[in-house]
Amino acid sequence: MFQIIGIVLLFALVFGSYVISGGKFEVILHALPHEMMAIGGAGLAAFLISNSTTTMKATLGGLGKAFAGPKWKKQDYKDLLSLLFQLTKTMKSKGVIALESHIEKPAESTIFQKYPKVLKDHFATDFICDTLRM
Protein backbone atom coordinates (compact mmCIF):
# COMPACT_ATOMS: atom_id res chain seq x y z
CA MET A 1 0.00 0.00 0.00
CA PHE A 2 2.77 2.44 0.91
CA GLN A 3 4.53 1.65 -2.36
CA ILE A 4 1.53 2.82 -4.36
CA ILE A 5 1.13 5.92 -2.17
CA GLY A 6 4.85 6.64 -2.69
CA ILE A 7 4.59 6.37 -6.48
CA VAL A 8 1.51 8.63 -6.59
CA LEU A 9 3.21 11.15 -4.29
CA LEU A 10 6.37 11.08 -6.41
CA PHE A 11 4.50 11.89 -9.62
CA ALA A 12 2.33 14.51 -7.90
CA LEU A 13 5.35 16.33 -6.49
CA VAL A 14 7.51 16.15 -9.62
CA PHE A 15 4.79 17.17 -12.07
CA GLY A 16 3.16 19.54 -9.58
CA SER A 17 6.38 21.47 -9.09
CA TYR A 18 6.77 21.74 -12.87
CA VAL A 19 3.26 23.14 -13.29
CA ILE A 20 3.59 25.51 -10.29
CA SER A 21 6.81 26.94 -11.70
CA GLY A 22 4.98 27.91 -14.88
CA GLY A 23 5.42 24.86 -17.08
CA LYS A 24 2.66 23.70 -19.38
CA PHE A 25 1.35 20.22 -18.61
CA GLU A 26 0.44 19.66 -22.26
CA VAL A 27 4.16 19.70 -23.11
CA ILE A 28 4.79 16.88 -20.64
CA LEU A 29 1.90 14.82 -21.99
CA HIS A 30 3.13 15.28 -25.54
CA ALA A 31 6.72 14.29 -24.73
CA LEU A 32 5.89 11.60 -22.15
CA PRO A 33 6.05 8.50 -24.38
CA HIS A 34 9.39 9.51 -25.89
CA GLU A 35 10.89 10.61 -22.57
CA MET A 36 9.74 7.44 -20.78
CA MET A 37 11.22 5.32 -23.55
CA ALA A 38 14.55 7.17 -23.34
CA ILE A 39 14.81 7.37 -19.55
CA GLY A 40 13.24 3.98 -18.80
CA GLY A 41 15.21 2.28 -21.58
CA ALA A 42 18.48 3.77 -20.39
CA GLY A 43 17.74 2.70 -16.81
CA LEU A 44 16.77 -0.83 -17.87
CA ALA A 45 19.82 -1.17 -20.14
CA ALA A 46 22.15 0.04 -17.36
CA PHE A 47 20.54 -2.46 -14.97
CA LEU A 48 21.01 -5.32 -17.45
CA ILE A 49 24.62 -4.38 -18.17
CA SER A 50 25.68 -3.98 -14.55
CA ASN A 51 24.03 -7.01 -12.91
CA SER A 52 24.21 -10.78 -13.10
CA THR A 53 21.24 -12.99 -13.94
CA THR A 54 20.96 -14.03 -10.29
CA THR A 55 20.74 -10.40 -9.18
CA MET A 56 18.12 -9.60 -11.81
CA LYS A 57 15.94 -12.53 -10.73
CA ALA A 58 16.32 -11.53 -7.08
CA THR A 59 15.35 -7.95 -7.93
CA LEU A 60 12.20 -9.04 -9.74
CA GLY A 61 11.32 -11.32 -6.82
CA GLY A 62 11.93 -8.47 -4.40
CA LEU A 63 9.65 -6.17 -6.38
CA GLY A 64 6.95 -8.81 -6.24
CA LYS A 65 7.34 -9.08 -2.47
CA ALA A 66 7.30 -5.31 -2.04
CA PHE A 67 3.95 -4.99 -3.80
CA ALA A 68 2.48 -8.17 -2.30
CA GLY A 69 2.42 -6.69 1.19
CA PRO A 70 3.47 -8.16 4.52
CA LYS A 71 3.55 -11.89 5.08
CA TRP A 72 2.08 -11.61 8.56
CA LYS A 73 -1.26 -9.86 9.11
CA LYS A 74 -2.72 -8.43 12.31
CA GLN A 75 -4.61 -11.65 13.12
CA ASP A 76 -1.40 -13.67 12.73
CA TYR A 77 0.30 -11.56 15.40
CA LYS A 78 -2.71 -12.05 17.68
CA ASP A 79 -2.46 -15.80 17.09
CA LEU A 80 1.25 -15.74 17.89
CA LEU A 81 0.65 -13.89 21.14
CA SER A 82 -2.20 -16.27 22.03
CA LEU A 83 0.07 -19.25 21.38
CA LEU A 84 2.80 -17.81 23.60
CA PHE A 85 0.22 -17.06 26.30
CA GLN A 86 -1.11 -20.62 26.23
CA LEU A 87 2.40 -22.07 26.38
CA THR A 88 3.43 -19.91 29.33
CA LYS A 89 0.09 -20.54 31.07
CA THR A 90 0.63 -24.29 30.67
CA MET A 91 4.14 -23.96 32.06
CA LYS A 92 2.93 -21.95 35.05
CA SER A 93 -0.09 -24.09 35.91
CA LYS A 94 1.13 -27.62 35.07
CA GLY A 95 4.88 -27.19 35.27
CA VAL A 96 7.78 -27.35 32.85
CA ILE A 97 7.43 -31.10 32.35
CA ALA A 98 3.91 -30.67 30.91
CA LEU A 99 5.31 -28.19 28.39
CA GLU A 100 8.01 -30.57 27.16
CA SER A 101 5.71 -32.62 24.90
CA HIS A 102 4.49 -29.44 23.18
CA ILE A 103 7.92 -28.01 22.44
CA GLU A 104 9.63 -31.27 21.49
CA LYS A 105 7.01 -32.20 18.86
CA PRO A 106 5.11 -29.02 17.97
CA ALA A 107 3.41 -30.67 14.97
CA GLU A 108 1.69 -33.09 17.36
CA SER A 109 0.94 -30.46 20.02
CA THR A 110 -2.69 -29.58 20.69
CA ILE A 111 -1.64 -26.03 21.54
CA PHE A 112 0.36 -25.46 18.33
CA GLN A 113 -2.34 -27.07 16.17
CA LYS A 114 -4.77 -24.30 17.16
CA TYR A 115 -2.52 -21.85 15.26
CA PRO A 116 -1.74 -23.42 11.87
CA LYS A 117 -0.03 -20.39 10.31
CA VAL A 118 2.48 -20.18 13.16
CA LEU A 119 2.99 -23.95 13.03
CA LYS A 120 3.58 -23.81 9.27
CA ASP A 121 6.36 -21.21 9.70
CA HIS A 122 9.20 -23.42 10.86
CA PHE A 123 11.44 -20.43 11.70
CA ALA A 124 8.89 -19.08 14.21
CA THR A 125 8.13 -22.54 15.58
CA ASP A 126 11.81 -23.42 16.00
CA PHE A 127 12.50 -20.08 17.65
CA ILE A 128 9.66 -20.51 20.16
CA CYS A 129 10.57 -24.13 20.96
CA ASP A 130 14.31 -23.45 21.26
CA THR A 131 13.70 -20.49 23.54
CA LEU A 132 11.37 -22.45 25.82
CA ARG A 133 13.83 -25.37 26.01
CA MET A 134 16.36 -23.09 27.66
Side-chain angles (χ1 to χ4, degrees):
M1 181 69 179
F2 284 115
Q3 293 83 2
I4 294 171
I5 292 171
I7 289 171
V8 170
L9 187 63
L10 170 77
F11 282 112
L13 291 173
V14 169
F15 294 126
S17 67
Y18 175 76
V19 171
I20 289 173
S21 64
K24 304 286 184 204
F25 201 70
E26 294 80 27
V27 175
I28 290 178
L29 291 177
H30 179 71
L32 187 63
H34 308 289
E35 292 295 326
M36 291 301 286
M37 189 170 97
I39 295 169
L44 180 62
F47 179 74
L48 292 173
I49 291 168
S50 63
N51 292 300
S52 67
T53 307
T54 307
T55 304
M56 287 185 270
K57 287 179 183 177
T59 301
L60 291 175
L63 282 174
K65 286 181 183 177
F67 284 100
K71 176 182 174 183
W72 292 80
K73 308 286 187 241
K74 185 176 181 179
Q75 185 59 45
D76 300 328
Y77 286 110
K78 288 180 181 179
D79 289 346
L80 180 62
L81 289 173
S82 297
L83 168 68
L84 292 172
F85 172 75
Q86 284 192 349
L87 289 171
T88 53
K89 183 179 172 186
T90 301
M91 184 170 56
K92 186 176 180 183
S93 64
K94 298 179 183 175
V96 180
I97 302 299
L99 189 65
E100 187 176 346
S101 64
H102 296 287
I103 62 174
E104 290 303 321
K105 295 180 182 176
E108 299 171 9
S109 167
T110 56
I111 296 176
F112 275 94
Q113 287 177 355
K114 292 178 186 176
Y115 308 102
K117 185 155 184 184
V118 178
L119 184 60
K120 193 169 32 172
D121 187 339
H122 70 91
F123 292 113
T125 305
D126 291 347
F127 181 73
I128 292 168
C129 293
D130 289 345
T131 303
L132 290 172
R133 277 188 198 106
M134 290 186 174

